[in-house]
Amino acid sequence: MANIREIAKVAGVSVATVSRVLNGYPYVKEEKRKAVWEAVEKLNYTKNINAVHLAKGKTSIVGVVLPYVNHPYFGAIVEGISREALRYGYHLLLFQTNYEVQKELEALEMLRMKQVDGLIICSRIVSWDVIDVYKDDGPIVLCEDVKGRDVLSVYINHYEAFLFAMKYLMNKGHRKIGYCIGRTTGTNSKAREAAYYDALRNIHESPRKEWIFDHCLYIEDGKRVVNEWLALPEKPTALLVSSDQVAAGIVLWGRREGINIPEDLAVFSFDNHPIAEALEITTMDLPLSLMGTKAFRMIYQCLETGKIAKKSEKLDARLIERSSV
Amino acid sequence: MANIREIAKVAGVSVATVSRVLNGYPYVKEEKRKAVWEAVEKLNYTKNINAVHLAKGKTSIVGVVLPYVNHPYFGAIVEGISREALRYGYHLLLFQTNYEVQKELEALEMLRMKQVDGLIICSRIVSWDVIDVYKDDGPIVLCEDVKGRDVLSVYINHYEAFLFAMKYLMNKGHRKIGYCIGRTTGTNSKAREAAYYDALRNIHESPRKEWIFDHCLYIEDGKRVVNEWLALPEKPTALLVSSDQVAAGIVLWGRREGINIPEDLAVFSFDNHPIAEALEITTMDLPLSLMGTKAFRMIYQCLETGKIAKKSEKLDARLIERSSV
DNA sequence: TTGTAGGCGTTATCAA
DNA sequence: TTGATAACGCCTACAA
């Protein structure tokens, strides 16, 4: 494969001139410019981008850290990141972690090694001190409330959203409310949990362990929830479900079991995916794609200007009222 | 940021020795080995991976080309690729193309520029001659039937799967069969179309344009199909739907419109996503994740051994019989 | 077992 | 406008 030196030789110019032509810099005589392009054509030359990366000290690649690539929640975020990255000529390196510390560390190491210029962490399990170690190696944006810590972040106000949903259910007369969540660890989950407990406290209800369903991520998890709900001696009359996917599962398997929604069981969900519309599930619209877009922009701005306009941005959810409550 | 030379200086050895230690090569006195690690620790050193890439002429990155990151079909493929890539220490660079030629070209260019060692093209729009141009720049695996062309491929036998489904519907007495597809261009779509036409010809039915629904990708497209179906003067009694997402939309909006499934309209779908189980949709299980895994392995084998065991692999679909037909 | 030196392919600085 | 040449940071013969 030809390199810039060969081009220089064939075109009868210096490598510096070739580089100038290749990168569209001024101050090159039209004649030489042409000679260079001809040589490029003739030798079927292309830049070796690794050499560019090394020389420039940057890659125009942003790393995306997420537990599962194949979940609509993260799919929506990645979509938002991807769209914006495309606009600015950046590429995306995917780090699927399955919430394994090792994998997350690897992504952070890649930032240090300059494999990526910046990192967007959609969800994590590593502790703050670990992230702190890497924060001088490049911009890191987290999709969670970092509560004043010295890292960039764009996040959805899950506390408010959950609280809002709880109040909505209470206004409809519900007092016995359970909830379904993907995992109980993690900032976002904690925020939701806090809202749940706070809301219950307000009406002097004490939370019950058996009304909290963990590991709810996919449609099929709704089946499990329905079965467990059916087996409950005392049942909640409403369920707050952190994902439309799971809510859809609950509604669908619930129907098959003859459960009337919302009469027997009200379902209030989050995300506002198309499936929620199709099933007429009341949900909170979460601006996931927007969050991805904003996360990328933060990285981008940091990279290009070195400045940070806003260190942290909070995004609000929006009620989509349908008939599952 | 410290580099290998500084480490050498601090440790009192040569850069070659540092490199040996860093890469775990033998023939280094334990004492020097220790000195190197201490220097690494002291200077908080990390390799610059771009320099490694340049020196080695490879990146251990595989590019993944797909139209939409946020669709379950492609999500499943990426998941399979990702899982396998993780095992072998490879990383994934995502190219979301939206089926724009420009974007696909960019990915191919990245192969030439050695940004990626290989490319997995999940779906494409560029023509064969374009791909031919790049095939000497690194292994390219396509997820479609390449029909003897000189490229690697792993693909699902869509023709057989569609034909099988058509026969299944016919056995159930259907003769008026429509179909829904994501796009009408593309090898996979053409294979499905061919099966559809061939099957109709077998029973001496001529295809009708108004029974073919294009641009069906997401749940919400099912709504459109239902509305169009309702408006049809003469309606098909069965629909072959190329995606569970769309089938789910059809079933759900169909129910809301009072359509009985399968009595008024039978729905036969593809993918076997959890949503199909939840809605009791008869579908063909497509080994998407497996296809991704195999695609990666092909690239990997090609890269590591330089040899190709199998140039092309065909994967079969499997009937999942439920009650929508 | 260790070190020297050249190579990987660009970019960027500086002098002409 | 142009060209030399020194980075960029690591790998790897080859020699010792």
Side-chain angles (χ1 to χ4, degrees), chain B residues 187-290:
Chain B
T187 310
N188 292 335
S189 298
K190 288 292 178 203
R192 288 165 159 174
E193 190 179 78
Y196 176 73
Y197 286 135
D198 288 354
L200 282 188
R201 196 173 309 120
N202 275 345
I203 57 165
H204 311 293
E205 285 281 340
S206 48
R208 307 210 193 178
K209 223 185 293 172
E210 67 275 24
W211 290 2
I212 297 175
F213 303 88
D214 193 9
H215 304 296
C216 291
L217 278 165
Y218 300 98
I219 289 191
E220 54 269 41
D221 294 316
K223 183 181 189 173
R224 179 172 41 93
V225 172
V226 165
N227 288 334
E228 290 182 18
W229 183 85
L230 283 170
L232 243 30
E234 188 170 2
K235 303 180 191 343
T237 61
L239 240 31
L240 217 53
V241 186
S242 70
S243 148
D244 279 339
Q245 299 299 308
V246 180
I250 292 173
V251 169
L252 289 172
W253 264 285
R255 279 186 192 166
R256 286 162 74 163
E257 296 290 342
I259 300 171
N260 289 315
I261 289 174
E263 295 78 9
D264 302 334
L265 178 64
V267 173
F268 193 119
S269 176
F270 295 83
D271 286 347
N272 192 28
H273 287 162
I275 199 172
E277 188 197 348
L279 285 167
E280 301 176 83
I281 296 172
T282 292
T283 190
M284 296 288 279
D285 180 80
L286 304 186
L288 296 170
S289 175
L290 179 67

Side-chain angles (χ1 to χ4, degrees), chain B residues 300-308:
Chain B
Y300 181 76
Q301 197 190 39
C302 205
L303 250 23
E304 303 286 317
T305 72
K307 287 192 197 111
I308 304 153

Side-chain angles (χ1 to χ4, degrees), chain A residues 65-112:
Chain A
V65 177
L66 36 67
Y68 323 110
V69 290
N70 192 18
H71 189 284
Y73 181 89
F74 296 106
I77 302 175
V78 174
E79 200 272 327
I81 300 172
S82 173
R83 190 152 25 81
E84 202 68 0
L86 236 50
R87 284 187 47 191
Y88 293 99
Y90 271 69
H91 286 125
L92 259 36
L93 199 59
L94 222 57
F95 295 98
Q96 170 162 9
T97 66
N98 302 309
Y99 283 131
E100 290 167 33
V101 174
Q102 188 46 48
K103 299 281 158 51
E104 293 185 13
L105 274 173
E106 201 181 298
L108 288 161
E109 275 300 321
M110 284 307 175
L111 184 62
R112 279 195 80 198

